[in-house]
Amino acid sequence: MPKKYHITAKVTPLNLDYVYKFKIERGENCINCGRCTKVCIYEAHKRGKGDPRKMADPNTVVCRNCFRCIQECPRGALEKSLDKDFLNIGGSYWKSDMFITLWKQAEDGKVPVTGAGYRGPFTGPGFDSMWTDMSEIVRPTRDGIHGREYISTSVELGRKLNHLAFDESGKLLSKIHDTIDIPIPIIFDFPKDNLSPNVKLAIVRAAAELNTCIVLSPDHITADIKKYIKNIIPIISHKEIDRHSALIKTVRMVALDYDEEILSSLPELQDKIKKIHNVLTIVRVPATKSVEQIVSRLAKNGAEIIHVVADYCGMENDGSAGLNRRLAKDIIRAVHLKLVEDRIRDEVTIIFSGGIAMAEHVPKAMLCGADLTAIDLPLLIALGARLYEEPEKLLLFPEGLDKIAVRTVMHRVVNLMGAWHSQLLEVMGAMGIREARRLRGETGRAIFFEEIDNETFGKLFKKRETANV
Amino acid sequence: MKPSTVKIKKMPSRFKHQVPKYKVTRSAACINCGTCAKSCPYGVHERLEGYNKMSVPIDYKCIGFECQKNDFYCVDKCPRNALSISLNPMYQTLGDYRWTADMITGTWIMAETGYPPERKDLEYNTGNSGGGFDKLRLKFPAGQPKIDKFEISTEIPLNRRNDGRANVIISTPVYGGGMSFGSVSLPTMVSKAHCASLWNTFTCTGEGGYPEVLQPYNDHVITQVATGLFGVREETIQRVKIVEFKYAQGAKPGLGGHLLGEKNTESVARMREAVKGTSLFSPFPFHSVYSIEDHKKHIDWIKQMNPNALVSVKVSTPNDVDMVAVGSYYAGAHIIHIDGGYGGTGAAPDIAKKNIAMPIEYAITKVHNFLKDEGARDAVTLIASGGIRTAHDLAKAICLGADGAVIGTAEMVSLECVRCGNCESGRGCARGIASTDSELADLFNASHFELL
């Protein structure tokens, strides 16, 4: 049994303002009777510090929406509403609630647990239109979560052989390619936004602490970051290989930005890199309309690892605002199926990124066919960044973040990944799958809305829905 | 047929105020003439004895825009046009896609009065989730059907195997879900049991043991044998008419349960035969069941111990739920209870609630058809749960192929739960869900009424 991978969480509050959901206002007809202080078990209501005859303004950050104060105030003087900030943040993909739960996970590293059943829409676009399977009678995979059995979340990056070849005397002819193991199916994708040096260093250190990798442009690799070079994947243009040869000598993987030239010259480029140092090459391909064709050609041309990058909402990246853009779930499935069709799927590693916003997206992306995922924005949301989708993407960092100690920032990122790792274990435990590698492309262990809805209600709903279109 | 013993009582809320849907605003133009107080029959406007000024309007009593047609509509009546009505922003903070604010309010009204709300502004039968039950609509014939409501029977038999065991018939095709002692308070459990006996149906102990106060209701209690086997004793198996095996729960399929140490108080520990203050895990799955043959052994064990009891098997809804159901049938189960992925819980990881296993709407059809093809449909009772919120959901579940349903969250909401979702946290429910049984009985009446 391999050594158990465990992410140790450490409660790390960040003393900065963040989004909260409810706002309680005290009306003028409050008689300062203090009933609310007695009924609220979360201590949202307190008497004034300076003047205890008066009630202080409600501390609504702690409000858990139990309605006790509202319903028991003798004068009906309290009013509650959804906070404006909460309503404005995010957009149609990055839902307001996500910010609060990511922030919370970064603070305590725990799996978000609540009472009462699911509250959201029945289904939604993309990843929201699939469910993962479970096994009623299985080996006790669940025990893995309590530590008696091991659920491995590690994945392998690199090119693999389709089959082994032997000579007549039984000697192995094939050359086995090198691969790199990382313990979670998540790598970090460095956000392009202007980050303060402490945040930059902290995220790199978190990647090192977790034993995963971070994709980083060479300009960002400053002296303090160089210490973690084994966990860094420098991203360069294929024209700059020579210029960065000193850097390539120190790393395990290097990423190349895709352009059309790479389609044909990939074997030479990979050779060239291998001559400098034995590193694996990732080709970073934007998820355009024809992404599956490009990935297929790259794979046939010997690509080791292909990183498919959708936009920040997990949508196809063709520059247009058209409504027909595919979503992550469909992009990954198309890429995966194309490679299966070409009988080359097992030979190449696919990383998917773009719109991986919650822990559930990791196993879902893998079920659709990715080997692993890359994330960027959740790392920043863990640090209090606010994201707005409308009118255009806007990312705001909290004031004072640049002064926070590197350790604190790093711990929050580690906590977030700890919570995600535990959630991945929950999903795998329920499915009875004990190796994350086996999630890849296991669509039989997923339930897709389109299929099951059609099977069950097709006859009932079809007519009306076609009419609506 | 509704048991004739059920009496409907009006059970007002425990709280001073309800959550208002509308906001009634009185502007500075008000001259405190008191016209509104005289005209509003609902008591929104008040001028207290000895006061010159009008009180702040009591929003929750207002019936809203539908009042416009009435000649006592305060907004029109006010000589200074000082009154206005708008939607209250507070209403947005109540409920969610599945349990909308209207549905919660409607359920509260039903629990209070025993009848469906008279107000026309509440969409209390369907939620806003956009799929499943919320997308299905019942088709009602035009005009009043000429059926005497007293001729409609709502009873269903639970034993369809003809095996000489108890011929259990429940008067309403719904019974109460398993909520363990520890996850809900004792008064809540007793309320549920009392309601079940009034309505000639069942309630379930959950897996935390069988509190003694439930013994007077033995004939209406299902005792659960779950993976932790907490509180399972020979005598608890022998005193009931139905024993339920819980393999999995819809809200956290494949994850088992976990009672936090702080909730494991002295009395809970005694009931569960455990050490006080320790965290108690209900593992997943049954560590004695790794095949359908093991499962049969389990059922045989119960049948041997209580020769008259029916056996119910509660499973959640994976892709192969149909196979599981047929397997359970061949193993000798009387009731197949499928719990859908969107079901209720006292605590579950959010990731599990949303993503693991399919919603009940699909599973019912899947299991129903599979049992039918197997020729076993008429020999087993199919019970659905996990997202049955209203009488309409119940009817829809039956239309899809279930025989009956189990409700849990609806019971909690009738006891004035607001679904804030903090049941699991340190001090537990902020509202101390523990109320009178009559409220629950009223909800049943209202559901019954809707069903007819």
Side-chain angles (χ1 to χ4, degrees):
Chain A
M1 199 167 93
K3 194 175 167 291
K4 265 180 211 166
Y5 179 71
H6 182 75
I7 300 174
T8 309
K10 188 179 145 201
V11 177
T12 315
L14 197 55
N15 201 10
L16 300 168
D17 278 345
Y18 203 54
V19 190
Y20 55 89
K21 191 163 179 178
F22 305 103
K23 187 182 172 75
I24 304 177
E25 280 167 301
R26 188 181 300 283
E28 281 175 10
N29 52 333
C30 166
I31 51 168
N32 297 301
C33 69
R35 176 89 186 140
C36 46
T37 58
K38 292 198 186 79
V39 299
C40 180
I41 65 169
Y42 307 110
E43 300 184 346
H45 299 285
K46 280 186 179 155
R47 290 204 167 263
K49 266 202 184 118
D51 180 1
R53 286 171 304 178
K54 288 228 160 108
M55 298 298 303
D57 283 334
N59 175 23
T60 44
V61 181
V62 299
C63 174
R64 306 275 295 263
N65 207 23
C66 77
F67 281 91
R68 288 274 314 253
C69 62
I70 303 288
Q71 290 193 266
E72 298 199 29
C73 173
R75 291 298 166 110
L78 294 167
E79 285 185 8
K80 185 166 61 170
S81 54
L82 292 175
D83 185 66
K84 284 219 169 55
D85 232 19
F86 173 82
L87 290 171
N88 288 337
I89 200 167
S92 58
Y93 186 83
W94 292 84
K95 309 248 168 30
S96 319
D97 283 317
M98 288 182 192
F99 293 87
I100 294 179
T101 105
L102 289 170
W103 169 265
K104 184 97 199 330
Q105 290 170 62
E107 182 165 315
D108 60 18
K110 286 185 185 157
V111 175
V113 170
T114 51
Y118 172 62
R119 304 160 181 280
F122 188 82
T123 172
F127 287 133
D128 282 350
S129 61
M130 63 187 282
W131 296 277
T132 62
D133 201 12
M134 60 84 68
S135 284
E136 214 68 61
I137 297 174
V138 288
R139 287 193 59 196
T141 327
R142 170 69 188 173
D143 284 7
I145 296 163
H146 302 312
R148 289 192 290 272
E149 289 207 18
Y150 188 53
I151 300 181
S152 161
T153 54
S154 81
V155 287
E156 232 173 343
L157 285 85
R159 182 90 183 177
K160 282 179 219 127
L161 292 172
N162 183 309
H163 58 274
L164 297 175
F166 298 89
D167 69 9
E168 281 162 7
S169 60
K171 222 180 105 208
L172 185 63
L173 288 178
S174 317
K175 184 185 169 297
I176 312 255
H177 303 298
D178 289 324
T179 55
I180 291 173
D181 257 14
I182 54 169
I184 40 170
I186 302 167
I187 60 170
F188 296 170
D189 209 3
F190 202 74
K192 291 200 178 58
D193 310 84
N194 225 348
L195 297 184
S196 55
N198 63 330
V199 170
K200 216 185 294 178
L201 177 60
I203 294 179
V204 173
R205 274 184 58 184
E209 175 85 22
L210 294 162
N211 218 351
T212 181
C213 298
I214 176 163
V215 180
L216 207 57
S217 139
D219 337 328
H220 287 304
I221 307 178
T222 46
D224 50 349
I225 285 177
K226 251 207 168 92
K227 260 169 68 186
Y228 308 97
I229 198 76
K230 288 284 173 239
N231 299 91
I232 291 171
I233 305 171
I235 175 149
I236 57 176
S237 147
H238 65 93
K239 298 188 179 95
E240 297 175 327
I241 294 174
D242 294 322
R243 189 154 78 81
H244 292 298
S245 61
L247 179 63
I248 292 172
K249 276 187 187 136
T250 60
V251 297
R252 295 189 291 168
M253 283 181 272
V254 62
L256 299 180
D257 260 325
Y258 170 81
D259 73 22
E260 262 176 52
E261 270 175 49
I262 289 190
L263 267 188
S264 50
S265 63
L266 185 66
E268 294 92 73
L269 292 171
Q270 285 186 169
D271 274 351
K272 192 168 166 189
I273 292 172
K274 283 255 175 347
K275 272 193 192 119
I276 300 172
H277 185 56
N278 188 20
V279 302
L280 300 180
T281 307
I282 301 173
V283 184
R284 187 184 176 92
V285 186
T288 53
K289 276 260 169 298
S290 52
V291 62
E292 59 267 44
Q293 306 300 335
I294 296 171
V295 169
S296 156
R297 286 183 62 188
L298 288 171
K300 284 180 194 154
N301 251 341
E304 297 170 321
I305 305 162
I306 301 170
H307 182 170
V308 177
V309 186
D311 83 350
Y312 75 108
C313 293
M315 283 177 114
E316 219 164 55
N317 240 327
D318 62 351
S320 78
L323 289 169
N324 298 328
R325 293 197 287 161
R326 286 181 295 182
L327 291 163
K329 185 190 83 175
D330 305 305
I331 300 170
I332 306 171
R333 289 191 82 183
V335 168
H336 176 75
L337 286 177
K338 175 75 180 125
L339 293 175
V340 170
E341 209 174 280
D342 296 343
R343 295 164 190 247
I344 198 169
R345 178 64 191 94
D346 284 337
E347 291 169 53
V348 61
T349 306
I350 302 291
I351 305 174
F352 178 83
S353 71
I356 304 290
M358 292 196 287
E360 68 196 56
H361 295 159
V362 176
K364 282 183 172 179
M366 293 169 80
L367 283 169
C368 288
D371 288 280
L372 69 154
T373 57
I375 57 165
D376 49 8
L377 291 171
L379 304 173
L380 303 180
I381 293 168
L383 308 177
R386 295 168 192 231
L387 174 72
Y388 298 87
E389 287 178 28
E390 298 291 335
E392 58 185 14
K393 183 183 169 191
L394 174 69
L395 194 66
L396 293 178
F397 291 95
E399 225 169 281
L401 179 62
D402 52 342
K403 307 228 165 42
I404 305 282
V406 173
R407 276 194 78 75
T408 308
V409 178
M410 179 197 84
H411 270 302
R412 285 186 69 94
V413 174
V414 171
N415 282 351
L416 180 69
M417 288 301 102
W420 280 32
H421 179 251
S422 304
Q423 289 173 80
L424 182 60
L425 293 187
E426 299 275 358
V427 172
M428 290 173 61
M431 291 175 85
I433 286 186
R434 294 197 290 172
E435 283 195 64
R437 292 179 303 170
R438 286 189 42 213
L439 281 174
R440 192 207 68 195
E442 268 282 2
T443 47
R445 301 303 309 280
I447 301 159
F448 290 97
F449 166 73
E450 301 86 345
E451 290 163 19
I452 193 158
D453 203 60
N454 194 34
E455 243 168 63
T456 316
F457 299 127
K459 277 181 241 142
L460 285 175
F461 290 165
K462 205 166 219 161
K463 223 160 115 194
R464 201 171 70 214
E465 263 165 18
T466 351
N468 283 348
V469 170
Chain B
M1 196 49 239
K2 166 179 157 183
S4 55
T5 50
V6 184
K7 265 217 182 79
I8 297 310
K9 284 186 228 159
K10 200 166 159 62
M11 289 306 300
S13 164
R14 288 179 285 147
F15 296 100
K16 182 165 171 63
H17 299 280
Q18 302 286 297
V19 181
K21 179 162 184 176
Y22 305 100
K23 188 166 177 54
V24 184
T25 315
R26 183 190 306 281
S27 76
C30 169
I31 51 166
N32 297 298
C33 67
T35 311
C36 48
K38 276 185 219 117
S39 54
C40 177
Y42 308 107
V44 173
H45 305 285
E46 269 183 350
R47 183 161 57 188
L48 297 174
E49 188 85 23
Y51 281 78
N52 288 332
K53 281 198 165 176
M54 298 294 302
S55 306
V56 175
I58 304 167
D59 296 326
Y60 75 88
K61 293 185 175 171
C62 177
I63 63 162
F65 307 114
E66 68 176 279
C67 193
Q68 272 169 9
K69 62 179 194 305
N70 299 324
D71 51 8
F72 52 75
Y73 184 48
C74 63
V75 176
D76 291 347
K77 277 268 181 185
C78 176
R80 292 297 170 112
N81 290 326
L83 293 169
S84 58
I85 294 179
S86 55
L87 282 173
N88 198 323
M90 181 128 65
Y91 207 56
Q92 280 189 329
T93 66
L94 179 68
D96 45 71
Y97 287 97
R98 293 193 63 77
W99 273 89
T100 57
D102 275 4
M103 194 184 273
I104 293 178
T105 309
T107 306
W108 284 344
I109 294 175
M110 289 191 267
E112 182 173 332
T113 64
Y115 293 94
E118 284 166 15
R119 279 161 67 172
K120 296 279 169 287
D121 63 330
L122 297 176
E123 177 55 85
Y124 60 90
N125 271 319
T126 34
N128 198 19
S129 77
F133 291 137
D134 290 345
K135 200 166 166 183
L136 294 165
R137 291 289 185 280
L138 296 168
K139 239 180 172 172
F140 295 103
Q144 275 293 328
K146 296 206 170 40
I147 299 173
D148 179 2
K149 282 190 176 167
F150 285 91
E151 280 178 19
I152 300 176
S153 165
T154 55
E155 38 175 65
I156 55 164
L158 295 182
N159 183 1
R160 296 167 196 234
R161 287 191 91 99
N162 271 331
D163 59 355
R165 285 174 175 263
N167 190 21
V168 180
I169 292 172
I170 51 176
S171 298
T172 175
V174 57
Y175 59 84
M179 285 179 236
S180 65
F181 176 51
S183 79
V184 291
S185 64
L186 212 47
T188 305
M189 288 187 89
V190 177
S191 308
K192 286 179 57 179
H194 192 66
C195 170
S197 71
L198 285 178
W199 279 95
N200 182 31
T201 180
F202 282 85
T203 184
C204 178
T205 59
E207 69 162 326
Y210 199 124
E212 274 166 31
V213 289
L214 290 185
Q215 290 214 34
Y217 309 103
N218 281 349
D219 281 350
H220 298 282
V221 172
I222 299 174
T223 193
Q224 204 173 62
V225 179
T227 50
L229 298 175
F230 293 118
V232 175
R233 302 222 299 266
E234 212 169 297
E235 61 264 30
T236 62
I237 302 289
Q238 284 167 344
R239 67 168 75 121
V240 293
K241 282 185 175 172
I242 305 177
V243 179
E244 176 174 284
F245 273 108
K246 187 183 99 174
Y247 275 82
Q249 184 181 338
K252 39 187 170 184
L255 300 184
H258 181 181
L259 188 78
L260 296 174
E262 55 197 66
K263 273 196 152 187
N264 185 9
T265 57
E266 183 128 26
S267 53
V268 172
R270 200 177 327 117
M271 191 68 67
R272 294 191 178 215
E273 299 175 50
V275 178
K276 177 188 157 193
T278 53
S279 285
L280 299 180
F281 291 103
S282 259
F284 177 84
F286 270 113
H287 283 9
S288 42
V289 179
Y290 291 122
S291 67
I292 206 78
E293 291 78 16
D294 290 346
H295 173 50
K296 182 171 185 316
K297 261 192 296 191
H298 248 197
I299 292 180
D300 289 345
W301 161 50
I302 294 297
K303 284 186 167 175
Q304 196 64 38
M305 215 179 320
N306 183 340
N308 207 30
L310 308 188
V311 177
S312 163
V313 174
K314 177 177 177 182
V315 294
S316 60
T317 51
N319 253 333
D320 56 356
V321 59
D322 40 5
M323 304 282 283
V324 172
V326 167
S328 286
Y329 162 72
Y330 282 119
H334 298 88
I335 302 169
I336 313 280
H337 174 176
I338 46 176
D339 192 20
Y342 289 165
T345 173
D350 289 342
I351 190 169
K353 290 197 268 195
K354 179 181 172 195
N355 301 299
I356 308 180
M358 64 175 80
I360 192 65
E361 290 89 335
Y362 302 132
I364 298 173
T365 324
K366 213 173 156 82
V367 172
H368 171 74
N369 288 335
F370 204 75
L371 285 169
K372 214 169 64 183
D373 293 346
E374 193 70 19
R377 183 64 190 88
D378 289 332
V380 66
T381 306
L382 178 61
I383 297 289
S385 69
I388 313 286
R389 302 154 296 178
T390 64
H392 276 216
D393 285 354
L394 168 60
K396 286 168 191 170
I398 294 174
C399 292
L400 290 176
D403 291 302
V406 161
I407 55 166
T409 307
E411 290 182 322
M412 292 297 104
V413 173
S414 80
L415 301 179
E416 297 191 82
C417 162
V418 283
R419 272 173 67 76
C420 67
N422 302 317
C423 343
E424 92 300 346
S425 64
R427 289 174 64 184
C429 178
R431 301 169 68 90
I433 300 291
S435 187
T436 55
D437 36 34
S438 302
E439 261 180 280
L440 207 57
D442 282 6
L443 175 80
F444 267 65
N445 191 63
S447 317
H448 196 84
F449 197 85
E450 278 286 322
L451 205 61
L452 296 181

